[in-house]
Amino acid sequence: MEDNNNKIADDNDKAEEFEFNFINIPWDDRTKFSKIGIIALLAAICLAIIGGVLNNFILHYKSFYKNTQQTHELICRIVKIEAYPFVARIHLASTQQLLCLGAVISSSSVIANGVCVKSGPIRLGLGSPSNQLCKKGFTVDLVDPIRHDGAISNTLVILTTMEKMSSCSSTIKISEHVDFISKAYILGRPLLADRVTKTLSRQPATLLSADEITNISLIPFKNLKKSSMICVKDLSNCPVRAGDLLIQDDEVLGLASTSVHRTDLSNMACFADLNVVRPELTELL
């Protein structure tokens, strides 16, 4: 029994001696090998900490860079409104909120999506806001609805003013024929529209042929007539909103049928074909 107690005591002494030698022994009393071991251990700990910090920094930088790229993908190309004098900005009269866009098709008339007049009395913004002749906008004296089965509201509208618009705008022709080979582009409201809109968004688009439109499932447009629409593909993530203009060869093809704030997996959007209502427009203008 005594032998066992002595053995346990010896083991405890050895443990205490080892713990003392490894941790608490003064630096000057350590052997050269012990000093090298301690330095190596500290260096390893420092390198591990530095490695962890660098790794986190690199991961954060990659994430930031990726997010920056994604953000840039969401930003549309911005163009000055002066470059497109045929574009009318339709504002809510009470708050000057920019509701949607329209196309100037005569010296006194603008064609727009029917949803643009649902919110209340409106005013037309034309030309540069810095131009004193154009700054205050134009009143809408007459609204003529036109039935259109390719528009989300099933209606387009002709907005007529008795004021002189020619000093602030130019007209654009409605295209009679669609060139499915040539590129088209979409003019839309800027992402951050305010009361004094000085820019528009612009993005290219590839037109779908009539056969392609027939074969695709237009879930967001299930109540609309496909033959009265023009659809485009290969869009970026730039939003397409109701009333945006589809342009080709300096002629207007259509007005966006509905809002697509971020295009779906098909990268597709559809527009009310303006050529469908050409006879009605001829009677009104």
Side-chain angles (χ1 to χ4, degrees), residues 3 24 53 87 114 118 128 148-149 201 203 243 269:
D3 291 341
N24 298 327
V53 172
V87 175
K118 299 290 185 180
S128 172
H148 196 300
D149 294 329
S201 65
Q203 66 171 317

Side-chain angles (χ1 to χ4, degrees), residues 5-63:
N5 289 337
N6 291 336
K7 185 176 181 181
I8 292 173
D10 290 340
D11 290 341
N12 288 337
D13 291 341
K14 289 179 180 178
E16 289 177 1
E17 181 181 357
F18 174 78
E19 183 180 355
F20 175 81
N21 288 340
F22 184 74
I23 299 175
N24 298 327
I25 188 170
W27 179 259
D28 293 337
D29 294 338
R30 290 183 181 273
T31 64
K32 184 177 180 181
F33 179 78
S34 175
K35 291 179 179 180
I36 293 174
I38 293 295
I39 293 173
L41 178 62
L42 293 175
I45 293 172
C46 290
L47 289 174
I49 293 173
I50 293 172
V53 172
L54 288 176
N55 182 61
N56 289 336
F57 178 79
I58 291 171
L59 290 177
H60 175 75
Y61 178 79
K62 285 184 177 180
S63 176

Side-chain angles (χ1 to χ4, degrees), residues 131-201:
N131 186 332
Q132 294 300 320
L133 293 175
C134 314
K135 188 174 182 179
K136 67 180 181 66
F138 297 82
T139 59
V140 176
D141 299 302
L142 185 63
V143 178
D144 289 305
I146 300 176
R147 172 77 184 184
H148 196 300
D149 294 329
I152 192 66
S153 60
N154 295 122
T155 307
L156 300 180
V157 288
I158 300 296
L159 309 175
T160 303
T161 179
M162 300 303 177
E163 300 179 59
K164 186 179 179 181
M165 296 196 309
S166 57
S167 58
C168 297
S169 67
S170 64
T171 61
I172 187 170
K173 181 181 178 183
I174 295 175
S175 179
E176 296 184 36
H177 305 286
V178 179
D179 184 351
F180 292 102
I181 298 177
S182 299
K183 278 279 188 182
Y185 62 92
I186 301 167
L187 288 176
R189 286 175 284 167
L191 291 177
L192 300 175
D194 53 19
R195 294 183 179 183
V196 183
T197 303
K198 297 181 180 180
T199 60
L200 301 170
S201 65

Side-chain angles (χ1 to χ4, degrees), residues 19 32 39-40 42 68 77 79 85-86 103 115 118 120 125-126 141 152 171 179 207 226 229 231 244 251 259 268:
E19 183 180 355
K32 184 177 180 181
I39 293 173
L42 293 175
T68 301
R77 180 185 175 190
V79 294
F86 56 82
V115 298
K118 299 290 185 180
L126 298 164
D141 299 302
I152 192 66
T171 61
D179 184 351
L207 297 171
K226 292 182 181 179
M229 302 172 72
C231 294
D244 287 356
E251 296 180 341
S259 295
M268 184 189 70

